[in-house]
Amino acid sequence: MLKYADLALIALALPVFLITGLPLLGWAGAAVGWSGQRLIQALVEAKASRTEDTKSFFQLMAGSIIGRSWFLVISIITVGLIDDEAGLTAAVMSAILFTAYLVITLVTRESPTEADRA
């Protein structure tokens, strides 16, 4: 459940945006961009886990990182073209989500066993 805390953070950010008067377009842009890239990640990881070829696995994962990054950046830029302040809030919220995701990934990562290291 902890590995989805970044998605819960999106929902928790909405009341903050409403109370503080931050542009909801910024929240929506970050929410769509982040949720979309996480969906892409889940789909690609599922496909990568079914592949038997190591080269294909790494090609899928590398392509996923690049594609997901572009998806998020395009959503932020689109919001920024509509409204400068909303674009800035979308970018800041995305940076916060990325930081939370990175920390969660590091904390929940399984450590290799002794048998795996040998």
Side-chain angles (χ1 to χ4, degrees):
M1 199 61 150
L2 184 60
K3 72 181 197 174
Y4 299 109
D6 58 320
L7 298 175
L9 189 57
I10 293 171
L12 292 172
L14 182 57
V16 173
F17 273 70
L18 292 171
I19 291 168
T20 60
L22 290 169
L24 289 178
L25 181 60
W27 177 84
V32 167
W34 189 263
S35 300
Q37 70 88 21
R38 287 279 276 151
L39 176 63
I40 293 168
Q41 177 187 16
L43 295 172
V44 171
E45 283 179 356
K47 183 172 181 168
S49 69
R50 291 189 304 270
T51 188
E52 307 239 345
D53 181 31
T54 305
K55 182 179 177 183
S56 296
F57 173 84
F58 284 108
Q59 286 174 337
L60 280 169
M61 296 311 291
S64 167
I65 292 169
I66 294 166
R68 290 172 29 225
S69 299
W70 274 105
F71 186 86
L72 183 59
V73 167
I74 288 170
S75 70
I76 294 168
I77 289 173
T78 302
V79 169
L81 289 173
I82 296 169
D83 178 18
D84 288 344
E85 187 180 353
L88 177 61
T89 57
V92 170
M93 183 172 155
S94 296
I96 292 168
L97 289 167
F98 176 78
T99 302
Y101 174 77
L102 181 63
V103 170
I104 291 164
T105 301
L106 292 173
V107 169
T108 61
R109 184 176 155 239
E110 294 179 22
S111 60
T113 63
E114 287 297 321
D116 292 338
R117 291 184 208 155

